[in-house]
Structures are given as C-alpha cells and as structure tokens.
Amino acid sequence: MYRRHLLSAALCASVLLSWHAHAQDPSNWPTKPVRMLVGSAPGGGTDAMARAVADRLAPLLKQPVLVENRPGVSNTMAVDVTAKSTDGHTMVMGVVTAHAIAPHLLKLGYDNNKDLVPVAFVGSVPNVLIVGNSVSANSLTELVSMAKKKPSQINFASSGTGSTQHIAAEMFKDAAGINITHVPYKGSSAALVDLVSGQVQMSFDTMPSVIGQIKTGKLRALAVTSPQRNAQLPQVPTMAEAGLPNVEISAWYGIYMPASTPKAVQQKVHDEVNKVIAMPETKTRLEAVGAELRPMTQADFATYHLAEYKRFGDIIRKNNIKLD
C-alpha cells in the first residue's frame, strides 16, 4: 500500500512537472488570451493601429488578442502596466510619444530602455496641421500671419502633454516665431470634438485620427509634417513646401513586450505581426488612414527605437520644451 501511494504521488508530480514545462515552453505560447494595451482612448491613431493588427493576429496565435485602452500620461500608463506585467501574455502598441518623447519629460515608474523590448515595428503616420472651419486661414502662411496678429489667442489641441501633437506645435511655434496656447486632452477624440466645434482653433493630430473629418470637410488640412506628401492627401503640402522646413515629425507604432519575455516568444510575435501587416486587407485598411507600413527586423527596430529616443531628446532640449 505504501509503495502504491509513493508511485501515485510520483506519477502526479511527473504529470504536473510535464504540464508546467509544456506551459512554459515558448513554442506553445500563447496558452491564454493575449492583452494588447493601448495608451490612448478609443478612436485615436494608436487605437486604430492596434485594432487593425489585433484583429488579424488572433487567428495566427490561436488565442484572442484583447485590445485594452489605458489612456493618459502621454501614452505611458499602458506602457507602465506592460513593463510591470508578469503574466507573459501582455504587450503594448507602443508609440513614439511614450517611447521617445515622454521619457525626456516625465518621471516614469519604469526604465523605458531596459524594462521593455521592441518586438515588431508596424508603421508610421504623419502629423497633419489642421484647423477648424471657424478659422479663416487657408494656408500655413495665413495661419502664421493670424497668430502674429493675435499672440496667445489661438489655441492648439493635443492628445496630451508630451504627445507628438504637442511637440509638433512647439516646433511650429519656434520655427514661425509665434505664441499659441496649448490645450491638452486625454486623447484625440475629445480634442477633435472641440476642434470641430470651434472651442480650439488648430492641432497637429495624426493622420488616422483626422482623415475622416478632413475628407468630409469638417476640418481643413494646411500641411503634413512628413518629408513627402501623403498619398491620402496629395493636394496638401509638406511643412517644408509651405515654408517651414524645420518642422518634421511622424508618429510611429510598434509592439513592445516586457524585457523578461523569452526570446522565442519575441521572435514568434515579431514573425506573426509581420505576417499581419503584409496581408492585403491590413495594408488597405491602414494605408486608407495614411499609414506607411515599414517591416523591420527586431534588431533594426531596437536600433530605430534608440535613435528616435536620442533625436527627440535633442529636439526637446533645443526647443526648451517642458510640461505645462
């Protein structure tokens, strides 16, 4: 009887160890639904990129990919949760705001360059200088002239302090020699409501957030901040073409995971995300909102992450940008 109990206990222990090893084997990942956190509210550019990827990624991973919005603090709330997660099934749709800008402006509860790892680059979109229909300016030159006549009276909206919208507008102020007033919101959706209604006059929002309102005539685009014109708005000049060559900024997006994530899992996510962005339906969906999809190796994404971190640090110091 005693030997039988020993054999039974040994068999149970063996089964549990086998199950635990199977669960921990990266080749079996994911073993439960995956969370994809988003640092902005539903309806913004980051949210649009995340949902376009998550919808197609779930069948490839054979588990649900649940998009979870955690807006606030320049997109860093979602990154903070991801950096500190230990469930092995959490990722974040990273954005330039959180990973290249906010670390120079905020005291974060995690190390941006050590606690997270860049896994899969998705693409980038230009910011667009837009004005509401209550603004009479029809060109960048006219807007600058108006701002000089009304110092501090023109308000610009952003999706939050330290966002690309905020940084682009600060660069614009410096390059044009004007004084305009920052009005930060918790995400693009709320900002655009006030922009359309005339509560604020202008913004440098990202293309996915505003392309619909531009095409329906609710907002007017005066310039894009990319080096070249965007295929969705071919009639809209670049900032350089409009007369301000030193205002160039784009929002980029990519999947980040906790640094503790096994290399094999990182590689799997990288490979599957790249399959998703190569799908014709994904390309059509994202290019329709002005996105430029740029597949990268994971090593290239890591190099790009560090280069952008340095570039925006230099921009912030040069323009003496600080939180309000």
Side-chain angles (χ1 to χ4, degrees), residues 19 34 57 75 79 128 144 178 210 213 219 259 300:
W19 176 86
V34 175
L57 185 60
N75 291 91
V79 182
V128 189
V144 170
I178 57 175
V210 298
Q213 290 92 334
L219 297 170
D300 286 344

Side-chain angles (χ1 to χ4, degrees), residues 147 152-156 169 172-173 178-182 202 204:
S152 302
Q153 295 182 45
I154 293 179
N155 298 324
F156 72 90
F172 172 53
K173 285 169 58 176
I178 57 175
N179 192 4
I180 52 180
T181 302
H182 183 205
M202 58 169 284
F204 278 88

Side-chain angles (χ1 to χ4, degrees), residues 311-323:
R311 182 172 84 92
F312 278 98
D314 292 342
I315 289 172
I316 288 166
R317 286 186 290 273
K318 176 181 181 295
N319 291 281
N320 195 33
I321 296 171
K322 291 181 172 61
L323 299 185

Side-chain angles (χ1 to χ4, degrees), residues 42-58:
T46 312
D47 185 69
M49 298 293 276
R51 293 180 189 278
V53 172
D55 288 350
R56 298 291 177 180
L57 185 60

